[in-house]
Amino acid sequence: GINAEYMGFGMGAALSGTMRTVIQKACEHATARVQFGSRIDGYGAIQEKIAKMSMIHYATESMAYMVAGTMDSGYEDYQLEAAISKIFASEAAWFVTDEAIQILGGNGFMRSLGLEKVMRDLRIFRIFEGTNDILRLFVALVGIQYAGGHLRELQKAISHPISNFGVVLGEVAKRGKGVVGIGSGNSLAEHVHPNLSESAALTCKAVDAMGQCVEKVLIKHGKGIINEQFILNRLANATIDIYANSCVLARCSKSL
């Protein structure tokens, strides 16, 4: 079953530790291994792998902090964040370990170095505590439920435009901007470090695009959206990326 309350919180934190150890092993090997007359950590392809692994580890850890912070603040509704963290962490740890094995070459595949055991054990994390496939549908549908409520309110407001003039006018203004390509602006700018304001603007743009996309999908499919798994998966992936962006922005702002 889906024990969404705790799974993401615990898994994100635990797998961050696993990833840290795996990255360390890959770095130790890369700094000691000489190939074609140079240490392999001097090659761009290896550097890119290690950079990507570290980046994904940072994002996973940031997410674990954020979910824990949400729980500590006394919020009772954190199933969505926990589910996102569970999906992201379980896939990130698999990717990082796979890349570490690649850096270690044939050695990485051998039992003596222990990475093959880590890889084998990691495989279960995408299955238990709710498979990532089911959790993706959960993430998408929870978001859509909220958007659906908003659309219903709007439909009601439009059917009585005089008494709900403010609501309708606000929506019309928002949509007008959307049509000419003006989003809601960089509403995150004041919450992040100045160095990160460009990244914050991109996140706001993604949120705007996501909102428009959900609305179009709901208007097109209505209640039938629950059977459109192809679309739901893509909406879930966009949601996960936006949440990862937000967690990293928050943590970077605190560190700078």
Side-chain angles (χ1 to χ4, degrees):
I2 299 176
N3 178 13
E5 267 90 335
Y6 297 109
M7 69 187 166
F9 156 66
M11 205 178 286
L15 293 181
S16 290
T18 306
M19 288 156 83
R20 191 182 288 272
T21 308
V22 165
I23 291 169
Q24 203 175 340
K25 273 198 173 164
C27 290
E28 281 165 9
H29 176 80
T31 50
R33 171 84 169 142
V34 173
Q35 197 64 298
F36 311 113
S38 302
R39 269 178 20 189
I40 66 168
D41 66 327
Y43 295 119
I46 299 291
Q47 290 170 354
E48 186 186 15
K49 279 187 191 301
I50 292 171
K52 249 190 189 155
M53 290 155 75
S54 306
M55 206 164 72
I56 288 172
H57 169 249
Y58 186 86
T60 308
E61 207 173 57
S62 305
M63 222 179 253
Y65 281 138
M66 184 72 97
V67 176
T70 303
M71 290 165 74
D72 286 345
S73 307
Y75 288 101
E76 285 178 15
D77 184 11
Y78 48 79
Q79 280 95 331
L80 185 63
E81 289 88 342
I84 290 174
S85 178
K86 189 267 181 184
I87 296 167
F88 192 88
S90 58
E91 291 175 3
W94 178 264
F95 170 82
V96 165
T97 307
D98 187 50
E99 287 288 66
I101 289 174
Q102 195 69 17
I103 290 170
L104 269 70
N107 276 341
F109 197 70
M110 298 300 162
R111 211 166 258 175
S112 55
L113 281 169
L115 282 184
E116 52 85 37
K117 172 85 167 72
V118 174
M119 189 115 198
R120 164 78 176 71
D121 291 347
L122 280 176
R123 190 58 191 85
I124 192 62
F125 286 97
R126 279 151 57 204
I127 298 168
F128 79 166
E129 299 281 22
T131 68
N132 286 11
D133 315 77
I134 296 295
L135 285 177
R136 273 194 164 82
L137 300 179
F138 169 74
V139 166
L141 288 169
V142 166
I144 279 177
Q145 210 177 347
Y146 173 78
H150 172 71
L151 269 184
R152 277 194 300 279
E153 287 300 306
L154 189 60
Q155 281 160 352
K156 258 191 252 166
I158 289 168
S159 58
H160 300 97
I162 305 303
S163 55
N164 294 294
F165 188 67
V167 177
V168 177
L169 194 67
E171 254 340 285
V172 168
K174 199 172 94 182
R175 271 148 223 272
K177 282 181 174 177
V179 169
V180 293
I182 305 168
S184 56
N186 192 352
S187 54
L188 286 176
E190 62 198 74
H191 302 289
V192 300
H193 189 277
N195 293 0
L196 299 167
S197 94
E198 234 173 279
S199 302
L202 287 173
T203 304
C204 290
K205 211 171 169 185
V207 172
D208 280 343
M210 174 78 173
Q212 286 172 25
C213 179
V214 168
E215 209 164 273
K216 282 177 187 155
V217 159
L218 269 176
I219 289 166
K220 181 176 178 184
H221 296 283
K223 284 200 171 88
I225 187 62
I226 61 169
N227 301 314
E228 300 291 335
Q229 295 190 350
F230 190 78
I231 295 171
L232 293 173
N233 266 329
R234 274 147 190 75
L235 288 176
N237 286 338
T239 307
I240 292 164
D241 286 345
I242 289 170
Y243 188 65
N245 275 1
S246 311
C247 294
V248 168
L249 281 173
R251 183 177 174 193
C252 285
S253 292
K254 281 265 190 291
S255 323
L256 287 170

